[in-house]
Amino acid sequence: VTEADGERVVAEVTRPADPEAPFSRPSMLADLEAGKPLELDHLVGWIARRGAALGVPVPASEAVTAVIAPWREGRAA
């Protein structure tokens, strides 16, 4: 992984939403709104666990996982 790879990832995740698709929403948000179980552990949680296993700080992933965890099963625990 190079610095350019990192810059491409940052550019992609910070890119504004597509103005041609104003009603598109992340699937996890759609699941949350529908009261369905979230893919939290498979998506963001995996990054937090992998970072911990490798000794790499991933504070944003850890924070997002912790904040959303009460809704893991689709309703507040």
Side-chain angles (χ1 to χ4, degrees), residues 45-74:
W46 182 87
I47 296 168
R49 290 188 308 276
R50 189 70 177 143
L54 295 173
V56 176
V58 287
S61 295
E62 291 168 350
V64 169
T65 300
V67 169
I68 299 175
W71 292 274
R72 176 180 273 121
E73 298 303 320

Side-chain angles (χ1 to χ4, degrees), residues 2-77:
T2 67
E3 187 173 334
D5 294 329
E7 290 171 1
R8 279 193 297 277
V9 169
V10 169
E12 182 62 27
V13 299
T14 58
R15 178 177 48 88
D18 182 357
E20 298 298 318
F23 299 107
S24 65
R25 296 187 338 261
S27 63
M28 204 165 11
L29 175 59
D31 290 342
L32 179 64
E33 291 175 343
K36 296 179 181 179
L38 305 181
E39 297 176 312
L40 177 66
D41 294 324
H42 302 289
L43 301 174
V44 183
W46 182 87
I47 296 168
R49 290 188 308 276
R50 189 70 177 143
L54 295 173
V56 176
V58 287
S61 295
E62 291 168 350
V64 169
T65 300
V67 169
I68 299 175
W71 292 274
R72 176 180 273 121
E73 298 303 320
R75 60 195 179 296

